[in-house]
Amino acid sequence: MSEPVTVRLKVNGIQHEGRCEPRKLLVDFLREDLGLTGTHVGCEHGICGACTILFNGEAARSCIMLAVQADGAELQTIEGLAQNGKLHPLQEAFHEHHGLQ
C-alpha cells in the first residue's frame, strides 16, 4: 500500500484539498472524497461517458484518470453547471428524460 498523497484542485469554482492513495481514480475521488456524486461510474473504460467532466476546460473521462493527475487543475462537474439556483439546460434534459448517467 502506497503512502497517501495530497491533491489540490478547484472543482466547480471551489478550492479543495484531500489525501488519497496515488492509484485512486479521479471519479472515485470526486464521489467518495468530495461528495460530488453527479459524476457516475459506468463502463470503467472511458467509453460510455458517464464519468465525463471538464478538466481545465476540456472534456475528460474521470474513470481513466488518477486523482493525482488532477493536482492543480480546475474541474467542472455536472453539479457545477447550475447558476443562481437555476438548472442548466443539460441538467434540465437529464431531469426531463430521466437520464441516469
Side-chain angles (χ1 to χ4, degrees):
M1 191 143 175
S2 300
E3 285 293 315
V5 296
T6 300
V7 177
R8 294 176 185 89
L9 51 122
K10 187 181 276 190
V11 184
N12 302 328
I14 301 169
Q15 194 66 43
H16 292 275
E17 180 176 311
R19 293 189 49 80
C20 66
E21 290 186 36
R23 63 188 178 127
K24 188 166 199 167
L25 295 173
L26 180 55
V27 68
D28 293 329
F29 185 79
L30 292 169
R31 292 179 61 79
E32 297 167 6
D33 296 62
L34 301 185
L36 297 169
T37 57
T39 303
H40 288 268
V41 178
C43 68
E44 298 185 71
H45 297 287
I47 297 170
C48 74
C51 67
T52 302
I53 59 166
L54 291 180
F55 184 94
N56 292 330
E58 299 288 326
R61 304 290 198 253
S62 62
C63 76
I64 56 173
M65 292 183 69
L66 299 172
V68 296
Q69 291 176 285
D71 189 40
E74 189 164 330
L75 311 180
Q76 187 174 26
T77 67
I78 190 74
E79 292 95 340
L81 295 179
Q83 292 191 357
N84 301 322
K86 187 173 183 327
L87 292 179
H88 183 275
L90 180 62
Q91 293 168 314
E92 287 277 352
F94 277 124
H95 177 74
E96 290 174 20
H97 301 284
H98 308 289
L100 301 176
Q101 294 184 12

